[in-house]
Amino acid sequence: MLKKITIGFIILSTLALGKINDYRGVFSDEDKVKLEQTVQAFEEETGNQIFLNTLEDNEGFEVDSQEKAVILNLIKDKQNVNSTLKVQIKISQDLNPEELSTDLTLLLDNAQEYANEQNEFQVASNLVEGLQQLFIPEADFDEESENSEQISMGIKIFLGILLTFLVLWIRIIQVKRKKIKYKLKRR
């Protein structure tokens, strides 16, 4: 009974969300649940959509919304069991994939170890977690830069007020000295 509920939940969640598309049927039900949690964590932490697909050679996957989207395709020839797993990552232009190219290359090199072992669940899980780490520092950096801009603006305002008081104080002293000189001249 529990398996039927889990399978029903997985089918409904993949139909409703469409984030994990196991077209080749390589993930077990438990793997799909774990991957769904990983994908959901990615989306919550980064604010980006991710689509994880297992495809055969010469198949493709398109997304309706091309904004803030990451597509991760695990491609393998289903007829040839010993074929190598190909990993394809597509990132929408609004996420600046050119800036991430070096980090993506390192991420794919690290995933190659699991690809050689032919453990597609580990490959998918590690790639999603690695992509999450690529996008989170960027978000943290944006928050830090906003905070530093606010702090620098506060410092500028404080220094402006301080400089204004200093100029006024100097001017008051000058006026007092002129009054004293003027009173001494009149006597």
Side-chain angles (χ1 to χ4, degrees), residues 2 9 15 68 119 138 143-144:
L2 184 60
F9 174 73
L15 289 176
K68 291 192 171 192
N119 188 347
E138 183 178 303
E143 290 175 12
E144 289 174 10

Side-chain angles (χ1 to χ4, degrees), residues 45-46 131-141:
E45 292 289 324
T46 64
L131 286 168
Q132 182 176 352
Q133 295 304 317
L134 288 179
F135 287 106
I136 287 177
E138 183 178 303
D140 291 344
F141 178 73

Side-chain angles (χ1 to χ4, degrees), residues 26-187:
V26 295
F27 300 132
S28 68
D29 293 338
E30 293 173 10
D31 291 346
K32 287 181 184 178
V33 171
K34 290 176 186 176
L35 285 173
E36 186 66 40
Q37 291 171 351
T38 307
V39 165
Q40 189 173 9
F42 172 88
E43 291 181 348
E44 288 174 1
E45 292 289 324
T46 64
N48 303 328
Q49 298 179 39
I50 188 165
F51 297 91
L52 175 62
N53 307 303
T54 60
L55 304 172
E56 291 183 33
D57 278 338
N58 302 324
E59 286 184 346
F61 180 81
E62 291 295 323
V63 179
D64 293 335
S65 173
Q66 295 289 331
E67 296 179 359
K68 291 192 171 192
V70 177
I71 301 172
L72 178 60
N73 293 328
L74 303 176
I75 304 169
K76 193 170 184 180
D77 186 8
K78 191 173 185 176
Q79 295 171 352
N80 185 0
V81 178
N82 295 327
S83 65
T84 59
L85 178 67
K86 299 173 192 169
V87 177
Q88 183 181 56
I89 299 176
K90 297 179 182 179
I91 299 175
S92 62
Q93 288 298 322
D94 59 332
L95 296 177
N96 299 322
E98 295 84 20
E99 293 177 8
L100 299 172
S101 63
T102 308
D103 294 330
L104 288 172
T105 304
L106 290 172
L107 180 63
L108 289 172
D109 287 344
N110 290 339
Q112 187 65 36
E113 173 185 332
Y114 295 105
N116 289 339
E117 295 174 8
Q118 297 185 359
N119 188 347
E120 291 188 43
F121 169 73
Q122 286 290 36
V123 172
S125 179
N126 288 337
L127 284 172
V128 172
E129 290 171 1
L131 286 168
Q132 182 176 352
Q133 295 304 317
L134 288 179
F135 287 106
I136 287 177
E138 183 178 303
D140 291 344
F141 178 73
D142 291 342
E143 290 175 12
E144 289 174 10
S145 66
E146 287 178 18
N147 289 340
S148 65
E149 287 176 16
Q150 290 175 352
I151 290 171
S152 67
M153 181 62 83
I155 290 172
K156 288 176 184 177
I157 291 172
F158 175 74
L159 291 176
I161 293 171
L162 186 64
L163 184 61
T164 303
F165 281 122
L166 183 63
V167 168
L168 287 173
W169 184 64
I170 291 172
R171 185 67 183 141
I172 292 171
I173 292 174
Q174 288 175 345
V175 169
K176 283 184 180 180
R177 285 187 181 170
K178 283 185 180 180
K179 280 184 179 179
I180 293 173
K181 282 184 182 180
Y182 181 70
K183 284 182 181 179
L184 287 177
K185 281 186 176 182
R186 287 188 86 201
R187 287 188 187 182

